[in-house]
Amino acid sequence: MKIFHNKTELKKSIQALKKNQKSIGFVPTMGALHQGHASLIEQGLANDAIVVVSIFVNPTQFDNQEDLVKYPRTLDSDVALLKTISKDRILVYAPTVEDVYGKDVVSMTFKFDGLEHEMEGRFREGHFDGVGTILKRLFEIISPDRAYFGEKDYQQLMIVKKLVEKQNIPVEIIGCKIHRAKDGLAMSSRNVRLKPEYRTAAPFIYKTLKAAKEKFGTKSANKVTEWVESQFADQELLELEYFIIADAQTLKTVKRKHNKKIYRAFIAVYADDIRLIDNIALN
Ligand code: AMP
C-alpha cells in the first residue's frame, strides 16, 4: 500500500492514474479509523478504481485546543485496517501540517448560505471555516471524481455540497449511512477515549433519538424536544449540549411541521469531556 506524506508525490501518482482513465474516489478522515470510515472506503471502491484516504488531524477545525491535542493519532493501526480492505486500490495521504498549510495555519472565511450558523456552527466557533479550508485544499491536491462523506456529520455533508457548488469544484459528493456499534452508538474516533462507565452509558443517545423519531409522528417538534431534554436531565453521566429538530435541507430549527418537508433530529452530548454527536432522519 502506498503511503504519501508529501503532496507533490501524491499528485504525480494521481496524474499517472488519471492518464490511464482510472477514476479517483476520495475519503477524507482524521484517522483513528474504524468501521464507519471503512464503510465509506468500501462505497468508494464500489464506484471508483482507486480511493485516496487522507489521514490528517486538521488543526484549523478545532475550537478546543485540548480536543486537538488529545485527538487519537494511530497511523500504524490505520494502515493495517486499510490493508484489510484493499492492498492495491487505496492510496494513503498522511501529510504534515506544513505540507498542507505551509507556514500559515489559518482558515479562509466561507459563507455557506446560513448552514454554517446552525448547530455545530453555533457551538464550535470557526469549525466550518476550518472544514471548508482543509477540504478546498485537499480537493485541489487530489482532484477526485467523487468524494464520500458520512451522514454521521450531516451538517458537514450539507456544507461540503454547498462548498463545491459555490466554489465550482468539479467533484460529486456522496453521502453515506451512519455506521453504528451493535448497541447503537454511532462509531467515532473519539469513542476509544470513553472510560468504561461512559461507554456503557453512551448508547442512550441513539436509543433516545429512536424514541424521539417515534414521538415525532404524533407530537410537535417542541414537545419532542422537551421530552428529550427531560430524559437527559435524569442521566448522571451524559450532559446534553443540544437536541434540535431541523429542516433537513436548510438545517433551520423547526417551528411548525409541514407535511411536505423532510426533518432530521440532531444531538450533541458530553460524556465526561468527550463530545459525541449523532442524528436521525425523522420522516
Ligand atoms: P472523521 O475522521 O471523524 O473526520 O470522519 C471522516 C469521515 O468519516 C466523515 O465523512 C465522517 O462523517 C465519516 N464518519 C465518521 N464516523 C462515521 C460513522 N459512524 N458512520 C459513517 N461515516 C462516518
Side-chain angles (χ1 to χ4, degrees), residues 6-55:
N6 174 297
K7 60 176 177 285
T8 314
E9 295 299 314
L10 174 68
K11 274 185 183 173
K12 265 194 226 154
S13 236
I14 291 175
Q15 270 163 12
L17 288 162
K18 289 201 159 194
K19 251 192 200 146
N20 288 327
Q21 316 295 327
K22 304 277 190 208
S23 73
I24 308 290
F26 174 37
V27 178
T29 83
M30 297 206 298
L33 300 182
H34 50 68
Q35 287 306 315
H37 297 113
S39 69
L40 268 58
I41 295 163
E42 275 155 11
Q43 209 160 321
L45 289 170
N47 292 336
D48 291 300
I50 298 290
V51 172
V52 179
V53 178
S54 64
I55 296 180

Side-chain angles (χ1 to χ4, degrees), residues 37-278:
H37 297 113
S39 69
L40 268 58
I41 295 163
E42 275 155 11
Q43 209 160 321
L45 289 170
N47 292 336
D48 291 300
I50 298 290
V51 172
V52 179
V53 178
S54 64
I55 296 180
F56 180 61
V57 182
N58 173 37
T60 63
Q61 72 188 68
F62 283 80
D63 60 327
N64 176 336
Q65 284 308 300
E66 196 185 332
D67 191 24
L68 170 61
V69 171
K70 288 192 176 163
Y71 201 88
R73 289 158 171 88
T74 57
L75 185 59
D76 290 347
S77 56
D78 290 350
V79 170
L81 173 70
L82 292 174
K83 281 184 183 160
T84 67
I85 303 174
S86 170
K87 287 200 176 57
D88 54 355
R89 290 174 59 207
I90 297 176
L91 301 184
V92 180
Y93 177 44
T96 58
V97 172
E98 189 161 9
D99 193 55
V100 177
Y101 282 98
K103 293 266 177 274
D104 283 331
V105 188
V106 287
S107 287
M108 299 167 65
T109 309
F110 295 92
K111 286 203 166 68
F112 296 117
D113 293 349
L115 292 173
E116 72 277 25
H117 301 311
E118 307 299 329
M119 299 178 296
E120 294 298 283
R122 205 174 301 161
F123 287 91
R124 299 184 71 187
E125 215 193 316
H127 174 65
F128 288 120
D129 280 338
V131 169
T133 302
I134 184 64
L135 288 174
K136 189 170 150 49
R137 282 184 192 226
L138 292 172
F139 286 147
E140 281 162 8
I141 294 168
I142 294 159
S143 310
D145 297 285
R146 276 167 284 275
Y148 300 84
F149 290 86
E151 288 184 348
K152 159 85 175 15
D153 301 279
Y154 187 88
Q155 186 175 13
Q156 169 174 280
L157 168 63
M158 299 302 282
I159 281 183
V160 177
K161 287 185 178 169
K162 191 63 81 181
L163 173 79
V164 303
E165 175 197 318
K166 289 199 142 193
Q167 304 261 333
N168 290 315
I169 303 173
V171 55
E172 184 185 351
I173 302 301
I174 299 190
C176 307
K177 293 265 162 284
I178 301 175
H179 206 85
R180 299 181 179 280
K182 279 211 179 78
D183 58 15
L185 179 65
M187 291 204 171
S188 162
S189 304
R190 290 185 174 88
N191 292 355
V192 295
R193 290 186 47 220
L194 289 168
K195 291 186 197 127
E197 66 268 35
Y198 290 92
R199 177 62 188 80
T200 305
F204 183 77
I205 299 169
Y206 183 53
K207 196 172 147 228
T208 310
L209 281 183
K210 281 194 297 184
K213 176 179 177 134
E214 188 79 29
K215 289 189 186 294
F216 190 70
T218 54
K219 293 196 165 39
S220 71
N222 265 345
K223 280 269 173 290
V224 176
T225 305
E226 278 168 23
W227 178 80
V228 169
E229 288 170 354
S230 73
Q231 293 299 297
F232 276 90
D234 295 337
Q235 284 290 313
E236 272 184 23
L237 297 179
L238 302 175
E239 190 192 327
L240 182 66
E241 183 173 54
Y242 65 74
F243 171 84
I244 286 171
I245 296 179
D247 181 306
Q249 286 303 312
T250 63
L251 304 184
K252 297 232 172 298
T253 304
V254 176
K255 298 217 169 71
R256 188 168 294 210
K257 280 196 250 179
H258 290 272
N259 287 341
K260 291 194 179 120
K261 292 216 164 144
I262 313 267
Y263 298 110
R264 233 174 153 94
F266 298 86
I267 195 163
V269 172
Y270 275 96
D272 207 1
D273 60 340
I274 297 159
R275 191 169 179 277
L276 302 172
I277 61 170
D278 201 347

